[in-house]
Amino acid sequence: MVAVWSYPWSLLSDDIDATCRELAEHGVTSVTAAAHYHSIRTLEPRSNGTLFKSYTGGCYFDPDLSTVDTPIDPPVHEVAGHTDPFQSIVAGADRHAIDVNAWLVCFHNSKLGSEYPQYRTQSVFGDRHDHAFCPSHPAVQRYFEGIARSLAGYDIESINLESLGYPDAFHSHGTRFGHAKNHVVQGRPEELLLSQCFCSACRSRAENHPIDFDRAREVTQRIARTALQQPTASVTSLEELATQQPELKKLFDFRSSVIDELLGRLAAASGDIALTYSASDGLGRDPDDGWPSGVTLDQLHEHIDRIVALCYTADSDLARRRVQQYKERVDVPVDIGITLDPDLFETESELRGFLADVAGFGDRIHVYNHALMSETHLDWLDTVTTRSV
């Protein structure tokens, strides 16, 4: 089975039946359509109109949040005259026997952060980050609970979660700035250290966790100050650092407890609709990379029905190893997520060779991203679907 990620404006740019017919002809059996997404600007080479498409963060359906207590009211986008773009996609896909998954990006959203600044993350130095909601806020957790419950009301196969953990301060979409500049902080360990949130909601939640929150803040700030004094990385392993600094270990455990509560809410809200996760939080995309952001395999095993191991690489050994590691650690299906990025695959034969090595390791293949594909890339989907059989 082959799924493609895509965007509503691309799926609906032509007649939805024509789009779904084309996907079905290429062997695509499932579409993961952005339903709650961050701000974006895409270049769409197959567009019959303007080449660049831009949307602020928000929903591509009209959620019913009346069942949850939250003041957050997301912007709802209309697309190509469709007041409920997601429903139009679901209905069109159903006519062509294509399943639909709702792509739900959680805490990475500059539009929401700018409109509800009280829920933004706050660094150890007091910086607020517009693109990053903090999951410690009860109103934020209830908001995503309501979003998941609303999506579960559609005729879909699953809800695909992304940006599930505490957000990264260095993966920003600014509402008041352009390019980010940094000549000092080097590597993911230092970036994640400076991304740790110390907002009032974190402090309040920490009262019910075995952690000295002020001490954890002091330790984080001291280590961060040292890292900022030189251009070479002084923090190379968060795992070693957490072992050396017990209060940091407690801080990361606290993050995990918050995300575990959120996952419980989302699992309950989704009901009979499967909850899946595109694994890419914290240090990277390997099984044990998510813990600095609060995402651990133990939580996923408890609440998630399927994991998509993102293998955005041309290194088949790395891809096989990553998928196998997930399969050894969890007893839910593990899929392979690949990209047709030309930096990785310049020719169909290169893609064919990669798939020959890795396709058999995952339960399904997910391809990123239908909206960004050229006509040639669409033809390559035949190679993907052949290998997935």
Side-chain angles (χ1 to χ4, degrees), residues 125 220-230:
F125 298 109
T220 302
Q221 190 173 85
R222 173 173 52 79
I223 296 171
R225 287 285 186 198
T226 300
L228 294 171
Q229 291 174 359
Q230 54 189 350

Side-chain angles (χ1 to χ4, degrees), residues 13-14 44-51 53 375:
S13 62
D14 199 352
E44 305 201 12
R46 304 189 320 280
S47 173
N48 293 323
T50 57
L51 189 61
K53 311 294 183 184
E375 293 290 349

Side-chain angles (χ1 to χ4, degrees), residues 293-313:
S293 296
V295 181
T296 68
L297 282 185
D298 288 341
Q299 301 161 324
L300 298 177
H301 178 269
E302 182 73 21
H303 302 295
I304 297 294
D305 300 296
R306 181 178 293 271
I307 290 176
V308 183
L310 298 181
C311 300
Y312 294 170
T313 176

Side-chain angles (χ1 to χ4, degrees), residues 26-71:
H26 285 292
V28 172
T29 56
S30 181
V31 171
T32 303
H36 183 283
Y37 207 67
H38 55 66
S39 58
I40 188 171
R41 181 175 187 246
T42 61
L43 187 156
E44 305 201 12
R46 304 189 320 280
S47 173
N48 293 323
T50 57
L51 189 61
F52 292 93
K53 311 294 183 184
S54 298
Y55 285 87
T56 59
C59 290
Y60 296 91
F61 71 106
D62 193 3
D64 177 9
L65 301 180
S66 62
T67 61
V68 294
D69 180 17
T70 181

Side-chain angles (χ1 to χ4, degrees), residues 39 60 152 295 334 366 381 385:
S39 58
Y60 296 91
V295 181
V334 179
H366 300 248
L381 285 176
T385 54

Side-chain angles (χ1 to χ4, degrees), residues 86-97:
F86 190 70
Q87 174 56 32
S88 297
I89 293 167
V90 170
D94 181 66
R95 290 192 291 271
H96 297 272

Side-chain angles (χ1 to χ4, degrees), residues 328-341:
E328 289 172 356
R329 300 280 298 279
V330 297
D331 59 3
V332 299
V334 179
D335 299 342
I336 301 175
I338 69 170
T339 176
L340 303 187
D341 188 332

